[in-house]
Amino acid sequence: MQPIAVLTGTIIHGKGLGRTVGMPTANLSPQRGMEIPPKGVYASIVHLRSGEYIGVTNIGERPTVDNDSRWTIETNINDFSDDIYGETMTLSIMYFLRPIRKMDSLEEVRDQVRKDMDRAIELLHS
């Protein structure tokens, strides 16, 4: 399967809100000139110095946590919690999972991301 897009950049600090509910994310600052896919939630393959992992990547706004219209690219990496700030990350965006939608709480977001991760694992292990 060919990726929808491949994004490379540096992992930067975000607001740290996901970590408060057990859902840390790696926030990507992409290299200039990269073509960013349409907003949405995607199954992705995460390439780090330590290896390859399955991830769920949100590209776009974060309506549950702020009213900011700026886009972010943030990935929850399956079974991963290492400190990787400042490292280079490459994301192979593989499958569109769903549109972004506002939820009632961070806990609801966490529960949805767990469902998204289950689907990503299913798709990427097939």
Side-chain angles (χ1 to χ4, degrees), residues 17-76:
L17 296 174
R19 186 172 303 283
T20 66
V21 292
M23 181 190 61
T25 58
N27 294 269
L28 183 71
S29 176
Q31 295 171 348
R32 289 185 180 269
M34 304 215 95
E35 188 164 330
I36 309 298
K39 69 180 176 180
V41 178
Y42 295 87
S44 56
I45 299 172
V46 181
H47 309 271
L48 295 167
R49 180 175 49 209
S50 60
E52 285 188 359
Y53 306 89
I54 292 176
V56 171
T57 300
N58 184 88
I59 298 175
E61 302 96 351
R62 303 174 322 152
T64 302
V65 298
D66 54 36
N67 291 322
D68 198 336
S69 63
R70 286 181 291 165
W71 282 29
T72 62
I73 302 169
E74 55 185 326
T75 301
N76 178 258

Side-chain angles (χ1 to χ4, degrees), residues 7-19:
L7 305 173
T8 298
T10 304
I11 299 169
I12 59 171
H13 287 273
K15 291 185 175 181
L17 296 174
R19 186 172 303 283

Side-chain angles (χ1 to χ4, degrees), residues 43-114:
S44 56
I45 299 172
V46 181
H47 309 271
L48 295 167
R49 180 175 49 209
S50 60
E52 285 188 359
Y53 306 89
I54 292 176
V56 171
T57 300
N58 184 88
I59 298 175
E61 302 96 351
R62 303 174 322 152
T64 302
V65 298
D66 54 36
N67 291 322
D68 198 336
S69 63
R70 286 181 291 165
W71 282 29
T72 62
I73 302 169
E74 55 185 326
T75 301
N76 178 258
I77 304 170
N78 189 46
D79 291 332
F80 189 88
S81 61
D82 294 357
D83 181 350
I84 51 176
Y85 293 115
E87 280 193 31
T88 297
M89 176 169 69
T90 298
L91 292 174
S92 295
I93 306 296
M94 302 303 291
Y95 296 98
F96 178 83
L97 295 175
R98 63 177 174 84
I100 294 171
R101 66 179 186 273
K102 183 173 176 59
M103 297 181 194
D104 292 331
S105 67
L106 271 175
E107 291 78 17
E108 186 179 346
V109 172
R110 177 199 59 216
D111 294 345
Q112 181 61 55
V113 170
R114 286 181 181 155

